[in-house]
Amino acid sequence: MYAIETENLTRVFGDFIAVNQVSLRIPQGGIYGFLGPNGSGKSTTIRMLCGILSPSRGKGRLLGLDLASQGEVIKAKIGYMSQKFSLYEDLTVRQNLEFYAGLYSLTGSRRQERIQAMLAMAGLAARQNDLTATLSGGWKQRLALGCSILHSPPLLFLDEPTGGVDPMSRRLFWDIIYQLSQQGTTVMVTTHFMDEAEHCDAIGFIYEGTLIADDTPANLKKNLPGLLLAIPAPDPMGLFNALTARQLEVMDIYPYGTNVHVLIRADRLADYQEFAYQIIKPSLEDVFVYYVKTKRKEMVV
């Protein structure tokens, strides 16, 4: 059974198609990374799945429940956290957890057990009486996650939860995500960070409202066509311009750090004998650059 299953999910605002016929199949217990540029439709998709926005067209099932007719039942079974998750900074850490426990109708011993568990998970037991305003971004992030999963939801949506926090806090946050997945929670997370996406069980890449890639990280990289060359250069932009001016047959070419990456057919390797190139394995960033450029060409045609 899939935790999330959608068919042609679409959201239109006036004449603007924000999400265009997105079909997803996300197994239970997995971590699904949902990637795309700003304004590509990530958050709109998640808001439809959470029942915050109604789809204009299409259908979906979450945890076996119909998105259109069983929305209120679904809301009780999901957790949602975004970068802008509402913590009350004039309340203490524990008071925030108590407030959200009330929203989720947790009572009695169950309520206190879950609050204690979330304090332990976030590493905030010793600071439970501190005002939330005094916490750093990373601590607030873990408290917000604790508030969103107090009711032990089997399905968790994280909408760019690691934006604006330091790398160490991101790593600690992802350790918690892995633990939740191992315990059977399905996690759908949007992120801009390719290192985070590498550790997802599967990835969807959305561009201008359309899902243009959907597979495991390993398969996405393995299925990139051609050979990928990395050519080192003291002036990558200058080398990129020089190579582009030659009008050689390439599948893709772009500056990448201190290199220029060139994607070619294997029979074009001789074109680059004068360069100290390396044939490299593609990163997810290479994959998505290729998919976006391919999609743009299709849209022009």
Side-chain angles (χ1 to χ4, degrees):
M1 180 173 146
Y2 294 107
I4 299 174
E5 188 171 11
T6 70
E7 184 178 334
N8 297 327
L9 203 65
T10 300
R11 177 68 196 198
V12 177
F13 296 98
D15 295 330
F16 176 65
I17 303 174
V19 176
N20 186 22
Q21 300 185 39
V22 167
S23 296
L24 296 169
R25 304 288 185 274
I26 302 176
Q28 288 186 340
I31 301 173
Y32 187 85
F34 201 41
L35 283 71
N38 286 334
S40 58
K42 300 187 303 295
S43 294
T44 301
T45 301
I46 283 191
R47 286 169 187 156
M48 283 192 285
L49 295 174
C50 290
I52 299 169
L53 282 175
S54 298
S56 303
R57 293 185 293 276
K59 57 186 179 180
R61 296 185 71 81
L62 275 70
L63 304 170
L65 301 167
D66 182 67
L67 190 59
S69 63
Q70 297 176 285
E72 291 306 311
V73 182
I74 289 172
K75 285 179 184 177
K77 293 179 177 290
I78 64 174
Y80 172 78
M81 175 192 161
S82 73
Q83 187 179 346
K84 298 177 181 178
F85 187 92
S86 293
L87 290 172
Y88 294 90
E89 301 215 336
D90 55 342
L91 298 181
T92 66
V93 167
R94 187 177 188 91
Q95 285 170 338
N96 265 290
L97 288 165
E98 293 278 4
F99 173 77
Y100 279 97
L103 289 183
Y104 295 129
S105 301
L106 296 178
T107 58
S109 60
R110 171 68 173 163
R111 178 189 183 108
Q112 295 312 313
E113 286 169 7
R114 289 302 295 163
I115 288 173
Q116 289 303 126
M118 294 303 97
L119 287 169
M121 177 208 72
L124 284 166
R127 300 191 63 182
Q128 61 184 289
N129 295 317
D130 291 1
L131 282 177
T132 301
T134 66
L135 300 178
S136 68
W139 291 110
K140 286 179 182 176
Q141 173 200 53
R142 277 176 272 167
L143 174 58
L145 177 62
C147 290
S148 69
I149 61 172
L150 263 170
H151 56 312
S152 304
L155 177 56
L156 177 61
F157 293 97
L158 302 174
D159 193 6
E160 297 187 22
T162 56
V165 298
D166 61 89
M168 176 63 76
S169 294
R170 287 204 291 123
R171 285 194 293 273
L172 291 171
F173 189 84
W174 271 84
D175 286 343
I176 297 171
I177 293 176
Y178 299 142
Q179 292 169 17
L180 290 169
S181 175
Q182 289 167 5
Q183 294 163 8
T185 303
T186 306
V187 182
M188 183 175 184
V189 55
T190 70
T191 178
H192 284 108
F193 299 107
M194 291 297 167
D195 60 326
E196 294 182 353
E198 290 275 4
H199 299 293
C200 295
D201 297 309
I203 297 169
F205 190 79
I206 190 168
Y207 178 70
E208 296 196 353
T210 301
L211 191 68
I212 61 174
D214 183 16
D215 210 333
T216 65
N219 282 344
L220 287 169
K221 290 184 282 190
K222 182 177 70 176
N223 294 333
L224 188 73
L227 293 178
L228 184 62
L229 310 183
I231 305 175
D235 177 15
M237 200 65 201
L239 178 58
F240 167 77
N241 291 331
L243 289 172
T244 303
R246 292 188 181 189
Q247 297 185 331
L248 296 170
E249 182 183 334
V250 299
M251 300 168 71
D252 206 352
I253 180 170
Y254 45 93
Y256 191 102
T258 58
N259 297 276
V260 174
H261 282 192
V262 188
L263 185 65
I264 59 170
R265 295 201 325 260
D267 60 3
R268 305 303 306 184
L269 195 57
D271 294 339
Y272 300 90
Q273 291 305 313
E274 66 189 271
F275 299 102
Y277 66 78
Q278 283 187 305
I279 299 174
I280 62 169
K281 292 181 179 179
S283 67
L284 281 179
E285 192 167 345
D286 292 308
V287 171
F288 294 138
V289 166
Y290 173 78
Y291 274 112
V292 167
K293 289 187 176 180
T294 301
K295 184 64 179 179
R296 282 177 179 163
K297 290 175 185 174
E298 290 175 1
M299 292 168 70
V300 169
V301 173

